[in-house]
Amino acid sequence: MVNFDDKRNFYRMLLNSEVKVTIIDDEINSEFVATCRDLSATGMAIEMSHPLEMGTRIKAKIESANAAVQALDVKGKVVRLEEESTDLYLVGIAIDDMD
């Protein structure tokens, strides 16, 4: 039964995994490493040291620790940004494509 305090359609998995993030841009595809805090079927939250603008398109890849399980490779856009402390931002990504 769904807990009515949490109205989400998909459960979140709490993670603390390295994620490679690439900003999708016509001019520059910058890459950096961040930490994936949580993941669901439709989104993820990543911790990083600098903010991203709302609507920024990204690719994110989380490598698998097990060779039998393929890496998670997704595309999405920034839909939420919270400054948690100096040089620590929580960025919400809406996933719209999985490879």
Side-chain angles (χ1 to χ4, degrees):
M1 185 167 165
V2 174
N3 179 351
F4 289 104
D5 291 335
D6 188 0
K7 309 240 185 309
R8 297 178 187 279
N9 291 326
F10 299 97
Y11 290 104
R12 288 182 175 204
M13 293 187 304
L14 298 178
L15 299 176
N16 189 21
S17 298
E18 182 177 285
V19 58
K20 293 180 186 174
V21 179
T22 304
I23 296 175
I24 302 170
D25 188 301
D26 290 338
E27 297 174 15
I28 291 179
N29 288 329
S30 60
E31 286 188 351
F32 53 91
V33 176
T35 301
C36 181
R37 182 184 285 184
D38 66 52
L39 175 68
S40 77
T42 59
M44 65 188 339
I46 57 175
E47 294 177 353
M48 49 194 309
S49 60
H50 59 281
L52 292 177
E53 290 185 31
M54 296 291 286
T56 300
R57 301 274 313 144
I58 62 112
K59 290 191 287 187
K61 184 172 189 171
I62 300 175
E63 295 292 343
S64 175
N66 183 334
V69 178
Q70 95 181 51
L72 177 68
D73 207 354
V74 300
K75 291 181 184 173
K77 71 176 178 178
V78 176
V79 294
R80 185 169 44 96
L81 177 66
E82 295 176 22
E83 184 175 8
E84 294 201 323
S85 64
T86 304
D87 295 329
L88 182 63
Y89 296 87
L90 184 63
V91 180
I93 306 295
I95 297 172
D96 54 30
D97 188 28
M98 287 191 190
D99 290 336

Coordinates of all heavy atoms in Angstrom, one line a residue:
M1 N 0.8 -1.2 0.0 CA 0.0 0.0 0.0 C 0.9 1.2 0.0 O 1.9 1.3 0.7 CB -0.9 0.0 1.2 CG -1.9 1.1 1.3 SD -3.1 0.8 2.5 CE -3.8 2.4 2.6
V2 N 0.5 2.2 -0.8 CA 1.2 3.5 -0.9 C 1.0 4.3 0.4 O -0.1 4.5 0.9 CB 0.8 4.3 -2.1 CG1 1.5 5.6 -2.1 CG2 1.0 3.5 -3.4
N3 N 2.1 4.8 0.9 CA 2.1 5.7 2.1 C 1.5 7.1 1.6 O 2.1 7.7 0.7 CB 3.5 5.9 2.6 CG 3.5 6.8 3.8 OD1 2.6 7.5 4.1 ND2 4.7 6.8 4.5
F4 N 0.5 7.6 2.2 CA -0.2 8.8 1.7 C 0.6 10.0 2.0 O 0.4 11.1 1.5 CB -1.6 8.9 2.2 CG -2.5 7.9 1.5 CD1 -2.9 6.8 2.2 CD2 -2.9 8.1 0.2 CE1 -3.7 5.8 1.6 CE2 -3.7 7.2 -0.4 CZ -4.1 6.0 0.3
D5 N 1.7 9.9 2.9 CA 2.5 11.1 3.1 C 3.5 11.3 2.0 O 4.0 12.4 1.8 CB 3.4 10.8 4.4 CG 2.5 10.8 5.6 OD1 1.4 11.5 5.6 OD2 2.9 10.2 6.6
D6 N 3.7 10.3 1.2 CA 4.6 10.4 0.0 C 3.8 10.1 -1.2 O 3.5 9.0 -1.5 CB 5.8 9.4 0.2 CG 6.9 9.7 -0.9 OD1 6.7 10.6 -1.7 OD2 7.9 8.9 -0.9
K7 N 3.5 11.2 -2.0 CA 2.6 11.0 -3.1 C 3.3 10.7 -4.4 O 2.8 10.9 -5.5 CB 1.8 12.3 -3.3 CG 1.1 12.7 -2.0 CD -0.4 12.8 -2.1 CE -1.1 13.3 -0.9 NZ -0.9 12.7 0.3
R8 N 4.6 10.3 -4.3 CA 5.3 10.0 -5.5 C 4.8 8.7 -6.2 O 4.4 7.8 -5.5 CB 6.8 9.8 -5.2 CG 7.4 11.0 -4.6 CD 8.9 10.8 -4.2 NE 9.4 11.9 -3.6 CZ 9.9 13.0 -4.1 NH1 9.9 13.0 -5.4 NH2 10.4 13.9 -3.4
N9 N 4.9 8.7 -7.5 CA 4.5 7.5 -8.3 C 5.6 6.4 -8.2 O 5.3 5.2 -8.5 CB 4.2 7.9 -9.7 CG 3.0 8.7 -9.8 OD1 2.0 8.6 -9.1 ND2 3.0 9.6 -10.8
F10 N 6.8 6.8 -8.0 CA 7.9 5.8 -8.0 C 8.7 6.0 -6.7 O 8.9 7.1 -6.2 CB 8.9 6.0 -9.2 CG 8.2 5.9 -10.5 CD1 7.7 6.9 -11.2 CD2 8.0 4.6 -11.0 CE1 7.0 6.8 -12.4 CE2 7.3 4.4 -12.2 CZ 6.8 5.5 -12.9
Y11 N 9.2 4.9 -6.2 CA 10.0 5.0 -5.0 C 11.4 5.4 -5.3 O 11.9 5.2 -6.4 CB 10.1 3.6 -4.3 CG 8.8 3.2 -3.7 CD1 8.0 2.2 -4.3 CD2 8.4 3.7 -2.5 CE1 6.8 1.9 -3.7 CE2 7.2 3.4 -1.9 CZ 6.4 2.4 -2.5 OH 5.2 2.1 -2.0
R12 N 12.1 6.1 -4.4 CA 13.4 6.6 -4.6 C 14.4 5.6 -3.9 O 14.1 5.0 -2.9 CB 13.7 7.9 -3.9 CG 13.0 9.0 -4.5 CD 13.3 10.3 -3.8 NE 12.8 11.4 -4.5 CZ 13.3 12.6 -4.4 NH1 14.3 12.9 -3.5 NH2 12.8 13.6 -5.0
M13 N 15.5 5.3 -4.6 CA 16.6 4.5 -4.0 C 17.6 5.5 -3.5 O 18.1 6.4 -4.3 CB 17.2 3.6 -5.1 CG 16.3 2.5 -5.6 SD 17.2 1.4 -6.7 CE 17.9 2.5 -7.9
L14 N 18.0 5.4 -2.3 CA 19.0 6.3 -1.7 C 20.4 5.7 -2.2 O 20.7 4.5 -2.0 CB 19.0 6.3 -0.2 CG 17.7 6.9 0.3 CD1 17.7 6.9 1.9 CD2 17.5 8.4 -0.2
L15 N 21.2 6.6 -2.7 CA 22.5 6.2 -3.2 C 23.6 7.1 -2.7 O 23.3 8.2 -2.1 CB 22.6 6.3 -4.7 CG 21.6 5.4 -5.6 CD1 21.8 5.8 -7.0 CD2 21.9 4.0 -5.3
N16 N 24.8 6.8 -2.9 CA 25.9 7.7 -2.6 C 27.0 7.2 -3.6 O 28.0 6.7 -3.3 CB 26.4 7.5 -1.2 CG 27.5 8.5 -0.9 OD1 27.6 9.6 -1.5 ND2 28.3 8.3 0.2
S17 N 26.6 7.4 -4.9 CA 27.4 6.9 -6.0 C 28.0 8.0 -6.9 O 27.3 9.0 -7.1 CB 26.6 6.0 -6.9 OG 26.1 4.9 -6.2
E18 N 29.2 7.8 -7.4 CA 29.8 8.8 -8.3 C 29.0 8.7 -9.6 O 28.6 7.7 -10.1 CB 31.2 8.4 -8.6 CG 32.0 9.3 -9.5 CD 33.4 8.9 -9.6 OE1 34.2 9.1 -8.7 OE2 33.8 8.4 -10.7
V19 N 28.7 9.9 -10.1 CA 28.0 10.0 -11.4 C 28.8 11.0 -12.3 O 29.3 12.0 -11.9 CB 26.6 10.5 -11.2 CG1 26.5 11.9 -10.5 CG2 25.8 10.6 -12.5
K20 N 29.0 10.6 -13.6 CA 29.7 11.4 -14.6 C 28.6 12.2 -15.3 O 27.7 11.7 -15.8 CB 30.5 10.6 -15.6 CG 31.6 9.9 -15.0 CD 32.4 9.1 -16.0 CE 33.5 8.3 -15.4 NZ 34.1 7.4 -16.3
V21 N 28.7 13.5 -15.2 CA 27.7 14.4 -15.7 C 28.3 15.2 -16.9 O 29.4 15.7 -16.8 CB 27.2 15.4 -14.7 CG1 26.1 16.4 -15.3 CG2 26.6 14.7 -13.5
T22 N 27.6 15.2 -18.0 CA 28.0 16.0 -19.2 C 26.9 17.0 -19.5 O 25.7 16.6 -19.7 CB 28.2 15.1 -20.4 OG1 29.1 14.1 -20.1 CG2 28.7 15.9 -21.6
I23 N 27.2 18.2 -19.6 CA 26.2 19.3 -20.0 C 26.1 19.2 -21.5 O 27.1 19.3 -22.2 CB 26.6 20.7 -19.5 CG1 26.7 20.7 -18.0 CG2 25.7 21.7 -20.1 CD1 27.2 22.0 -17.4
I24 N 24.8 19.0 -22.0 CA 24.6 19.0 -23.4 C 24.4 20.4 -23.9 O 23.4 21.1 -23.5 CB 23.3 18.1 -23.7 CG1 23.5 16.7 -23.1 CG2 23.0 18.1 -25.2 CD1 22.2 15.9 -23.2
D25 N 25.3 20.8 -24.7 CA 25.3 22.2 -25.2 C 25.8 22.2 -26.7 O 26.6 21.4 -27.0 CB 26.2 23.1 -24.4 CG 26.1 24.5 -24.7 OD1 26.4 24.9 -25.9 OD2 25.8 25.3 -23.8
D26 N 25.2 23.0 -27.5 CA 25.7 23.1 -28.9 C 27.1 23.5 -29.1 O 27.8 23.1 -30.0 CB 24.8 24.0 -29.7 CG 23.4 23.5 -29.9 OD1 23.2 22.2 -29.8 OD2 22.5 24.3 -30.2
E27 N 27.6 24.3 -28.1 CA 29.0 24.9 -28.2 C 30.0 24.1 -27.4 O 31.1 23.8 -27.9 CB 29.0 26.3 -27.8 CG 28.1 27.2 -28.7 CD 28.0 28.6 -28.2 OE1 28.8 29.0 -27.3 OE2 27.1 29.3 -28.7
I28 N 29.6 23.7 -26.2 CA 30.6 23.0 -25.3 C 29.9 21.9 -24.6 O 28.8 22.1 -24.1 CB 31.2 24.0 -24.3 CG1 32.1 25.0 -25.0 CG2 31.9 23.3 -23.2 CD1 32.7 26.0 -24.0
N29 N 30.5 20.8 -24.5 CA 30.0 19.6 -23.8 C 30.9 19.5 -22.6 O 31.8 18.7 -22.6 CB 29.9 18.4 -24.6 CG 28.8 18.4 -25.6 OD1 27.8 19.0 -25.4 ND2 29.0 17.7 -26.7
S30 N 30.7 20.2 -21.5 CA 31.6 20.1 -20.3 C 31.2 18.9 -19.5 O 30.0 18.6 -19.4 CB 31.5 21.4 -19.5 OG 30.3 21.7 -19.0
E31 N 32.2 18.3 -18.9 CA 32.1 17.1 -18.1 C 32.6 17.3 -16.7 O 33.6 18.1 -16.5 CB 32.8 15.9 -18.7 CG 32.2 15.3 -19.9 CD 32.9 14.0 -20.3 OE1 33.9 13.7 -19.8 OE2 32.3 13.3 -21.2
F32 N 31.9 16.7 -15.7 CA 32.4 16.8 -14.4 C 31.9 15.6 -13.6 O 31.0 14.9 -14.1 CB 32.1 18.1 -13.7 CG 30.6 18.4 -13.7 CD1 29.7 18.0 -12.7 CD2 30.1 19.1 -14.8 CE1 28.4 18.3 -12.8 CE2 28.7 19.4 -14.9 CZ 27.9 19.0 -13.9
V33 N 32.4 15.4 -12.4 CA 32.0 14.3 -11.6 C 31.2 14.8 -10.4 O 31.6 15.8 -9.8 CB 33.2 13.4 -11.1 CG1 32.8 12.4 -10.1 CG2 33.9 12.8 -12.3
A34 N 30.1 14.2 -10.1 CA 29.3 14.6 -8.9 C 28.9 13.4 -8.1 O 29.4 12.3 -8.4 CB 28.0 15.4 -9.4
T35 N 28.0 13.5 -7.1 CA 27.6 12.4 -6.3 C 26.1 12.3 -6.5 O 25.3 13.3 -6.3 CB 27.9 12.6 -4.9 OG1 29.3 12.8 -4.7 CG2 27.4 11.5 -4.0
C36 N 25.6 11.1 -6.9 CA 24.2 10.8 -7.0 C 23.7 10.5 -5.6 O 24.1 9.5 -5.0 CB 23.9 9.7 -8.0 SG 22.1 9.4 -8.2
R37 N 22.8 11.3 -5.1 CA 22.2 11.1 -3.7 C 21.0 10.1 -3.8 O 20.9 9.3 -2.9 CB 21.8 12.4 -3.1 CG 21.2 12.3 -1.7 CD 20.7 13.5 -1.2 NE 21.8 14.4 -0.8 CZ 21.6 15.6 -0.2 NH1 20.4 16.0 0.0 NH2 22.6 16.4 0.1
D38 N 20.1 10.3 -4.7 CA 19.0 9.4 -4.9 C 18.6 9.3 -6.3 O 18.9 10.1 -7.1 CB 17.9 9.7 -3.9 CG 17.2 11.0 -4.2 OD1 16.8 11.2 -5.4 OD2 17.0 11.8 -3.3
L39 N 17.8 8.2 -6.6 CA 17.4 7.9 -7.9 C 16.0 7.2 -7.9 O 15.7 6.4 -7.0 CB 18.5 6.9 -8.5 CG 18.2 6.3 -9.9 CD1 18.3 7.3 -10.9 CD2 19.2 5.2 -10.1
S40 N 15.2 7.6 -8.9 CA 13.9 6.9 -9.1 C 13.8 6.7 -10.6 O 14.7 7.0 -11.4 CB 12.8 7.8 -8.6 OG 12.5 8.8 -9.5
A41 N 12.7 6.1 -11.0 CA 12.4 5.8 -12.4 C 12.3 7.1 -13.3 O 12.5 7.1 -14.5 CB 11.2 5.0 -12.6
T42 N 12.0 8.2 -12.6 CA 11.8 9.5 -13.4 C 12.7 10.6 -13.1 O 12.7 11.7 -13.7 CB 10.3 10.0 -13.2 OG1 10.1 10.2 -11.8 CG2 9.3 9.0 -13.7
G43 N 13.6 10.4 -12.1 CA 14.5 11.5 -11.7 C 15.6 11.1 -10.8 O 15.7 9.9 -10.3
M44 N 16.5 12.0 -10.6 CA 17.7 11.8 -9.7 C 18.1 13.1 -9.0 O 17.8 14.2 -9.6 CB 18.9 11.2 -10.4 CG 19.5 12.1 -11.5 SD 20.7 11.4 -12.6 CE 21.4 10.0 -11.8
A45 N 18.7 13.0 -7.9 CA 19.2 14.2 -7.2 C 20.7 14.0 -7.1 O 21.2 13.0 -6.7 CB 18.6 14.3 -5.8
I46 N 21.5 15.0 -7.5 CA 22.9 15.0 -7.5 C 23.5 16.1 -6.7 O 22.9 17.2 -6.7 CB 23.6 14.9 -8.9 CG1 23.2 16.2 -9.7 CG2 23.2 13.7 -9.7 CD1 23.9 16.2 -11.1
E47 N 24.5 15.8 -5.9 CA 25.3 16.8 -5.2 C 26.4 17.3 -6.0 O 27.2 16.5 -6.5 CB 25.8 16.2 -3.9 CG 24.7 15.8 -2.9 CD 25.3 15.2 -1.7 OE1 26.6 15.0 -1.6 OE2 24.6 14.9 -0.7
M48 N 26.7 18.6 -6.0 CA 27.8 19.1 -6.7 C 28.3 20.4 -6.1 O 27.5 21.0 -5.3 CB 27.4 19.3 -8.2 CG 26.2 20.0 -8.5 SD 25.6 19.9 -10.2 CE 26.9 20.3 -11.1
S49 N 29.5 20.9 -6.5 CA 30.1 22.1 -5.9 C 29.7 23.4 -6.6 O 30.0 24.4 -6.1 CB 31.6 21.9 -5.9 OG 32.1 21.8 -7.2
H50 N 29.0 23.3 -7.7 CA 28.5 24.5 -8.4 C 27.1 24.3 -8.9 O 26.7 23.2 -9.2 CB 29.5 24.9 -9.5 CG 29.7 23.8 -10.5 ND1 30.4 22.7 -10.4 CD2 29.1 23.7 -11.7 CE1 30.3 22.0 -11.4 NE2 29.5 22.5 -12.3
P51 N 26.4 25.4 -9.1 CA 25.0 25.3 -9.5 C 24.9 25.1 -11.0 O 25.8 25.5 -11.8 CB 24.4 26.6 -9.1 CG 25.5 27.6 -9.1 CD 26.7 26.8 -8.7
L52 N 23.8 24.5 -11.5 CA 23.4 24.5 -12.9 C 22.1 25.3 -13.1 O 21.3 25.3 -12.2 CB 23.2 23.0 -13.3 CG 24.4 22.1 -13.4 CD1 24.0 20.7 -13.8 CD2 25.5 22.6 -14.3
E53 N 22.0 25.9 -14.2 CA 20.8 26.7 -14.5 C 19.6 25.8 -14.7 O 19.7 24.7 -15.2 CB 21.0 27.5 -15.7 CG 21.9 28.7 -15.5 CD 22.0 29.6 -16.7 OE1 21.0 29.7 -17.4 OE2 23.1 30.1 -16.9
M54 N 18.4 26.2 -14.3 CA 17.2 25.5 -14.5 C 17.0 25.3 -16.0 O 17.3 26.2 -16.8 CB 16.0 26.3 -14.0 CG 16.0 26.5 -12.5 SD 15.7 25.0 -11.6 CE 14.0 24.8 -11.9
G55 N 16.6 24.1 -16.4 CA 16.4 23.7 -17.8 C 17.6 23.2 -18.5 O 17.5 22.8 -19.7
T56 N 18.8 23.3 -17.8 CA 20.0 22.8 -18.5 C 19.9 21.3 -18.8 O 19.4 20.5 -18.0 CB 21.2 22.9 -17.5 OG1 21.4 24.3 -17.2 CG2 22.5 22.4 -18.1
R57 N 20.2 20.9 -20.0 CA 20.1 19.5 -20.5 C 21.4 18.8 -20.1 O 22.5 19.4 -20.3 CB 19.9 19.4 -22.0 CG 18.7 20.1 -22.5 CD 17.4 19.3 -22.4 NE 17.6 18.0 -23.0 CZ 17.0 16.9 -22.6 NH1 16.2 16.9 -21.5 NH2 17.3 15.7 -23.1
I58 N 21.3 17.6 -19.6 CA 22.5 16.9 -19.2 C 22.4 15.4 -19.6 O 21.4 14.9 -19.9 CB 22.8 16.9 -17.6 CG1 21.6 16.3 -16.8 CG2 23.0 18.3 -17.2 CD1 22.0 15.0 -16.1
K59 N 23.6 14.8 -19.6 CA 23.7 13.3 -19.7 C 24.4 12.9 -18.4 O 25.3 13.6 -17.9 CB 24.6 12.8 -20.9 CG 24.0 13.1 -22.2 CD 24.7 12.4 -23.3 CE 26.0 13.1 -23.6 NZ 26.7 12.5 -24.8
A60 N 23.9 11.8 -17.8 CA 24.5 11.3 -16.6 C 24.8 9.8 -16.7 O 24.0 9.1 -17.3 CB 23.6 11.6 -15.4
K61 N 25.9 9.4 -16.2 CA 26.3 7.9 -16.2 C 26.8 7.5 -14.9 O 27.7 8.1 -14.3 CB 27.4 7.7 -17.3 CG 27.7 6.2 -17.5 CD 28.6 6.0 -18.7 CE 28.7 4.6 -19.0 NZ 29.4 4.3 -20.2
I62 N 26.2 6.4 -14.4 CA 26.6 5.8 -13.1 C 27.1 4.4 -13.5 O 26.3 3.6 -14.0 CB 25.5 5.7 -12.1 CG1 24.9 7.1 -11.8 CG2 25.9 4.9 -10.9 CD1 23.7 7.0 -10.9
E63 N 28.4 4.1 -13.3 CA 29.0 2.8 -13.6 C 28.5 1.8 -12.6 O 28.2 2.1 -11.4 CB 30.5 2.9 -13.5 CG 31.1 3.8 -14.5 CD 31.0 3.3 -16.0 OE1 30.7 2.1 -16.2 OE2 31.2 4.1 -16.9
S64 N 28.4 0.6 -13.0 CA 28.0 -0.5 -12.2 C 29.2 -1.1 -11.5 O 30.2 -1.3 -12.1 CB 27.3 -1.6 -13.0 OG 26.9 -2.7 -12.2
A65 N 29.0 -1.5 -10.2 CA 30.0 -2.2 -9.5 C 30.1 -3.7 -9.9 O 31.1 -4.4 -9.5 CB 29.8 -2.1 -8.0
N66 N 29.1 -4.2 -10.6 CA 29.0 -5.6 -11.0 C 29.0 -5.7 -12.5 O 28.2 -5.1 -13.2 CB 27.7 -6.2 -10.4 CG 27.5 -7.6 -10.7 OD1 28.1 -8.2 -11.6 ND2 26.8 -8.3 -9.8
A67 N 29.9 -6.5 -13.0 CA 30.1 -6.6 -14.5 C 28.8 -7.2 -15.1 O 28.6 -7.0 -16.3 CB 31.3 -7.5 -14.8
A68 N 28.0 -7.9 -14.4 CA 26.8 -8.5 -14.9 C 25.7 -7.5 -15.1 O 24.7 -7.8 -15.7 CB 26.3 -9.7 -14.0
V69 N 25.8 -6.3 -14.5 CA 24.8 -5.3 -14.5 C 25.4 -4.1 -15.3 O 26.4 -3.6 -15.0 CB 24.4 -4.8 -13.1 CG1 23.4 -3.7 -13.1 CG2 23.9 -6.0 -12.3
Q70 N 24.6 -3.7 -16.3 CA 25.1 -2.6 -17.1 C 25.0 -1.2 -16.4 O 24.2 -1.1 -15.5 CB 24.4 -2.6 -18.5 CG 23.3 -1.7 -18.7 CD 22.7 -1.8 -20.1 OE1 22.4 -2.9 -20.5 NE2 22.4 -0.7 -20.7
A71 N 25.8 -0.3 -16.9 CA 25.8 1.0 -16.3 C 24.5 1.7 -16.6 O 23.8 1.4 -17.5 CB 27.0 1.9 -16.8
L72 N 24.1 2.7 -15.7 CA 23.0 3.5 -15.9 C 23.4 4.7 -16.7 O 24.3 5.4 -16.3 CB 22.4 4.0 -14.6 CG 21.2 4.9 -14.7 CD1 20.0 4.1 -15.3 CD2 20.8 5.5 -13.3
D73 N 22.8 4.9 -17.9 CA 23.1 6.0 -18.8 C 21.8 6.8 -19.1 O 20.9 6.2 -19.8 CB 23.8 5.5 -20.0 CG 24.7 6.4 -20.7 OD1 24.8 7.6 -20.3 OD2 25.4 6.0 -21.7
V74 N 21.6 8.0 -18.6 CA 20.4 8.7 -18.8 C 20.6 10.1 -19.4 O 21.7 10.7 -19.3 CB 19.6 8.8 -17.5 CG1 19.2 7.4 -17.0 CG2 20.3 9.6 -16.5
K75 N 19.5 10.7 -19.9 CA 19.5 12.1 -20.3 C 18.4 12.8 -19.6 O 17.3 12.1 -19.3 CB 19.3 12.3 -21.8 CG 20.5 11.8 -22.6 CD 20.2 12.0 -24.1 CE 21.4 11.4 -24.9 NZ 21.1 11.4 -26.3
G76 N 18.5 14.0 -19.3 CA 17.5 14.7 -18.6 C 17.7 16.2 -18.5 O 18.6 16.7 -19.2
K77 N 16.9 16.9 -17.7 CA 17.1 18.4 -17.5 C 17.0 18.8 -16.1 O 16.3 18.1 -15.3 CB 16.2 19.1 -18.4 CG 14.7 19.1 -18.0 CD 13.9 20.0 -18.9 CE 12.4 19.9 -18.4 NZ 11.6 20.8 -19.2
V78 N 17.6 19.9 -15.7 CA 17.6 20.4 -14.3 C 16.2 21.0 -14.1 O 15.7 21.8 -14.8 CB 18.6 21.5 -14.1 CG1 18.5 22.1 -12.7 CG2 20.0 20.9 -14.4
V79 N 15.5 20.5 -13.0 CA 14.2 21.0 -12.7 C 14.1 21.5 -11.2 O 13.1 22.1 -10.8 CB 13.1 19.9 -12.8 CG1 13.0 19.5 -14.3 CG2 13.4 18.7 -11.9
R80 N 15.2 21.4 -10.5 CA 15.3 21.9 -9.1 C 16.7 22.2 -8.7 O 17.6 21.5 -9.1 CB 14.7 20.8 -8.2 CG 14.6 21.3 -6.7 CD 13.8 20.3 -5.9 NE 14.1 18.9 -6.1 CZ 14.9 18.2 -5.4 NH1 15.6 18.8 -4.4 NH2 15.1 17.0 -5.6
L81 N 16.9 23.2 -7.9 CA 18.2 23.6 -7.5 C 18.1 24.1 -6.0 O 17.3 25.0 -5.8 CB 18.9 24.7 -8.4 CG 20.2 25.2 -8.0 CD1 21.3 24.1 -8.0 CD2 20.6 26.4 -8.8
E82 N 18.9 23.6 -5.1 CA 18.9 24.0 -3.7 C 20.3 24.2 -3.3 O 21.2 23.3 -3.5 CB 18.2 23.0 -2.8 CG 16.8 22.8 -3.1 CD 16.2 21.7 -2.2 OE1 16.8 21.4 -1.1 OE2 15.2 21.1 -2.5
E83 N 20.7 25.3 -2.7 CA 22.0 25.5 -2.1 C 21.9 25.0 -0.7 O 21.2 25.5 0.1 CB 22.4 27.0 -2.1 CG 23.8 27.2 -1.6 CD 24.2 28.7 -1.7 OE1 23.4 29.5 -2.1 OE2 25.4 28.9 -1.5
E84 N 22.6 23.9 -0.4 CA 22.6 23.3 0.9 C 23.6 23.9 1.8 O 23.4 24.0 3.0 CB 22.8 21.8 0.8 CG 21.7 21.1 0.1 CD 21.6 19.7 0.4 OE1 22.6 19.0 0.5 OE2 20.4 19.2 0.5
S85 N 24.7 24.3 1.3 CA 25.8 25.0 2.1 C 26.7 25.7 1.1 O 26.5 25.6 -0.1 CB 26.5 24.1 3.0 OG 27.2 23.1 2.3
T86 N 27.7 26.4 1.6 CA 28.7 27.0 0.8 C 29.4 25.9 -0.1 O 29.8 24.9 0.4 CB 29.8 27.7 1.6 OG1 29.2 28.6 2.4 CG2 30.8 28.4 0.7
D87 N 29.3 26.1 -1.4 CA 29.9 25.1 -2.4 C 29.3 23.7 -2.4 O 29.9 22.8 -2.7 CB 31.4 25.0 -2.2 CG 32.1 26.3 -2.5 OD1 31.6 27.1 -3.3 OD2 33.2 26.6 -1.9
L88 N 28.0 23.6 -2.0 CA 27.3 22.3 -2.0 C 25.9 22.6 -2.5 O 25.1 23.3 -1.8 CB 27.3 21.6 -0.7 CG 26.6 20.2 -0.7 CD1 27.3 19.3 -1.7 CD2 26.5 19.6 0.6
Y89 N 25.6 22.1 -3.7 CA 24.3 22.3 -4.3 C 23.6 20.9 -4.5 O 24.3 20.0 -4.9 CB 24.4 23.0 -5.6 CG 24.9 24.4 -5.5 CD1 26.3 24.7 -5.4 CD2 24.0 25.5 -5.3 CE1 26.8 26.0 -5.3 CE2 24.5 26.8 -5.1 CZ 25.9 27.0 -5.1 OH 26.4 28.3 -5.0
L90 N 22.3 20.9 -4.3 CA 21.5 19.7 -4.6 C 20.7 20.0 -5.9 O 20.0 21.0 -5.9 CB 20.6 19.3 -3.5 CG 19.8 18.0 -3.7 CD1 20.7 16.8 -3.8 CD2 18.8 17.8 -2.6
V91 N 21.0 19.2 -7.0 CA 20.4 19.5 -8.3 C 19.4 18.4 -8.6 O 19.8 17.2 -8.6 CB 21.5 19.6 -9.4 CG1 20.9 19.9 -10.7 CG2 22.5 20.7 -9.0
G92 N 18.2 18.7 -8.8 CA 17.2 17.7 -9.2 C 17.1 17.6 -10.7 O 17.0 18.6 -11.4
I93 N 17.2 16.4 -11.2 CA 17.2 16.1 -12.7 C 15.9 15.3 -13.0 O 15.7 14.2 -12.4 CB 18.4 15.3 -13.1 CG1 19.7 16.0 -12.7 CG2 18.4 15.0 -14.6 CD1 20.0 17.3 -13.3
A94 N 15.1 15.7 -14.0 CA 14.0 14.9 -14.5 C 14.6 14.1 -15.6 O 15.1 14.6 -16.6 CB 12.9 15.8 -15.0
I95 N 14.5 12.8 -15.5 CA 15.0 11.9 -16.6 C 14.0 11.8 -17.7 O 12.8 11.5 -17.4 CB 15.3 10.5 -16.0 CG1 16.4 10.6 -14.9 CG2 15.6 9.5 -17.1 CD1 16.6 9.3 -14.1
D96 N 14.4 12.0 -18.9 CA 13.5 11.8 -20.0 C 13.9 10.8 -21.1 O 13.2 10.6 -22.0 CB 13.2 13.2 -20.7 CG 14.4 14.0 -21.1 OD1 15.4 13.3 -21.4 OD2 14.3 15.2 -21.1
D97 N 15.1 10.2 -20.9 CA 15.6 9.2 -21.8 C 16.7 8.4 -21.2 O 17.5 8.9 -20.4 CB 16.3 9.9 -23.1 CG 16.6 9.0 -24.2 OD1 16.0 7.9 -24.3 OD2 17.6 9.3 -24.9
M98 N 16.6 7.0 -21.4 CA 17.6 6.1 -20.9 C 18.1 5.3 -22.1 O 17.4 4.9 -23.0 CB 16.9 5.1 -19.9 CG 16.6 5.7 -18.6 SD 16.2 4.3 -17.5 CE 15.5 5.3 -16.1
D99 N 19.5 5.2 -22.0 CA 20.1 4.4 -23.1 C 20.3 3.0 -22.6 O 20.5 2.7 -21.5 CB 21.5 5.0 -23.5 CG 21.3 6.3 -24.2 OD1 20.2 6.5 -24.8 OD2 22.2 7.1 -24.2

